[in-house]
Amino acid sequence: MSMKVVEKIDDMKRLRQQLTEPVGFVPTMGYLHEGHLALIRWARTENPSLVVSLFVNPTQFDPQEDFSQYPRDPERDFGLLEKERADIVFMPSVDEMYPPRFNSWVEVGRLTERLEGASRPGHFRGVTTVVAKLFNIIQPTRAYFGQKDAQQVVVIKKMVAELNMNLEIVTVPTMREGDGLAMSSRNTYLNPEEREVATVLYQAISLAQKLWVRGETNAQVIRQQMLTLIRKEPLAAIDYISIADTETLDELDTVKSPALVSLAVKIGNTRLIDNVVLE
Ligand code: AMP
């Protein structure tokens, strides 16, 4: 079967009926890089059918954020997806997903109030709403998410469990550039100088890992060392540094295994995130 590009929800639902089970699904906002391709390849090996969505979801950006500037290149994405042998690319318009007077929301409480949720109010409500819609439209057997967005994985798993959705969530490790920078569509915003400074996120999580391996269990000591490292970079502004329980995302005083070390840092005008699980 050659790859089909589908823009309408009804067409997607109809084509879904013709796919061989199980169906793997990778939701993305497009502008694909090796991080996305890792998810897509993982999904391809585990399922005879593969659906990938390309949709820059406006409801997960807040008004001051980069929705309109977010990079897009669907033609290039189609070429990459054809090579990966995707069966269906679902690329709805904003109007198709959010018709006038759209007003139904899926919200996961508490977990979404911390970390990314605290810095980006409404972000996760947008994510869970669009992901729930995509799950309903595509009805995948398995959906694939990157560990790069660690909190997103925790929130989606909680939504799937608590709303009794019939699919499995698979987490794929973070893909990095040669110098450790986590791959992200937003890396294209960085100028050459910022691109160099951006490795400080990876340096900070690597430092946390090193301290933990050496036996440091005082979370505040580790946070402080990460802070000191990042503060040496004048172009870097810390949004948060967190060492938290991997399930509740509650901040820890004493590091136990597993613990999620995560951070958000602005490099110039570009906000980047990264994380590592200590275990
Ligand atoms: P996005 O297009 O940024 O919404 O990302 C789509 C999916 O790709 C999400 O599940 C991300 O977590 C995942 N992803 C993005 N960057 C990476 C990366 N560097 N490594 C692994 N997964 C990633």
Side-chain angles (χ1 to χ4, degrees):
M1 181 168 120
S2 67
M3 186 177 91
K4 292 193 173 68
V5 178
V6 179
E7 296 181 353
K8 295 291 176 201
I9 292 169
D10 285 347
D11 293 339
M12 182 64 235
K13 286 186 170 176
R14 196 169 37 76
L15 283 169
R16 167 65 180 86
Q17 302 311 315
Q18 299 164 17
L19 294 175
T20 310
E21 303 285 341
V23 174
F25 171 48
V26 181
T28 82
M29 299 203 296
Y31 211 72
L32 303 177
H33 53 65
E34 283 294 321
H36 297 115
L37 295 182
L39 271 62
I40 288 163
R41 288 174 190 145
W42 201 297
R44 180 73 284 177
T45 62
E46 289 187 343
N47 306 277
S49 304
L50 172 61
V51 180
V52 178
S53 63
L54 304 178
F55 181 63
V56 185
N57 175 37
T59 64
Q60 73 189 66
F61 291 78
D62 61 59
Q64 298 86 285
E65 279 184 327
D66 54 349
F67 172 70
S68 57
Q69 266 96 53
Y70 196 85
R72 293 163 170 88
D73 192 348
E75 292 304 323
R76 182 173 161 276
D77 291 346
F78 295 157
L80 291 169
L81 291 169
E82 208 143 33
K83 273 202 207 116
E84 301 302 332
R85 292 174 295 114
D87 296 295
I88 300 182
V89 180
F90 182 52
M91 192 177 71
S93 66
V94 170
D95 254 16
E96 180 74 1
M97 291 294 274
Y98 300 107
R101 295 180 299 285
F102 179 94
N103 203 12
S104 302
W105 303 95
V106 177
E107 199 154 0
V108 172
R110 198 177 144 88
L111 278 179
T112 62
E113 290 163 15
R114 31 207 87 213
L115 306 175
E116 287 301 288
S119 299
R120 306 176 67 191
H123 169 69
F124 283 113
R125 186 176 89 144
V127 169
T128 45
T129 300
V130 81
V131 169
K133 283 172 67 72
L134 291 167
F135 287 174
N136 284 334
I137 294 163
I138 291 157
Q139 303 201 6
T141 318
R142 303 188 183 96
Y144 296 78
F145 290 86
Q147 178 61 26
K148 153 96 189 328
D149 299 281
Q151 187 178 11
Q152 174 168 278
V153 174
V154 177
V155 169
I156 300 275
K157 282 188 172 165
K158 180 128 174 120
M159 172 185 81
V160 165
E162 294 189 343
L163 298 183
N164 314 102
M165 296 178 172
N166 281 317
L167 79 163
E168 183 192 338
I169 301 299
V170 182
T171 313
V172 178
T174 302
M175 293 291 292
R176 301 181 178 282
E177 303 288 354
D179 63 4
L181 177 67
M183 291 182 178
S184 165
S185 309
R186 289 192 171 90
N187 293 349
T188 56
Y189 299 149
L190 302 167
N191 68 29
E193 188 187 1
E194 292 167 344
R195 171 64 188 79
E196 264 181 43
V197 172
T199 59
V200 76
L201 281 88
Y202 180 66
Q203 289 163 17
I205 60 170
S206 302
L207 175 62
Q209 175 106 51
K210 191 173 83 184
L211 293 167
W212 156 253
V213 167
R214 283 188 190 157
E216 181 59 70
T217 58
N218 184 329
Q220 198 45 34
V221 168
I222 299 178
R223 285 188 203 96
Q224 188 57 48
Q225 295 242 16
M226 294 171 74
L227 194 84
T228 306
L229 177 83
I230 298 169
R231 285 215 176 126
K232 288 186 187 142
E233 289 293 352
L235 284 179
I238 298 166
D239 183 349
Y240 63 78
I241 294 176
S242 160
I243 303 177
D245 182 280
T246 52
E247 274 172 39
T248 63
L249 303 181
D250 289 335
E251 287 301 315
L252 298 172
D253 295 323
T254 305
V255 184
K256 44 139 192 159
S257 174
L260 176 67
V261 177
S262 65
L263 78 176
V265 178
K266 266 186 110 175
I267 309 291
N269 289 321
T270 305
R271 188 172 176 284
L272 300 176
I273 60 172
D274 205 346
N275 71 84
V276 65
V277 176
L278 304 179
E279 51 194 336

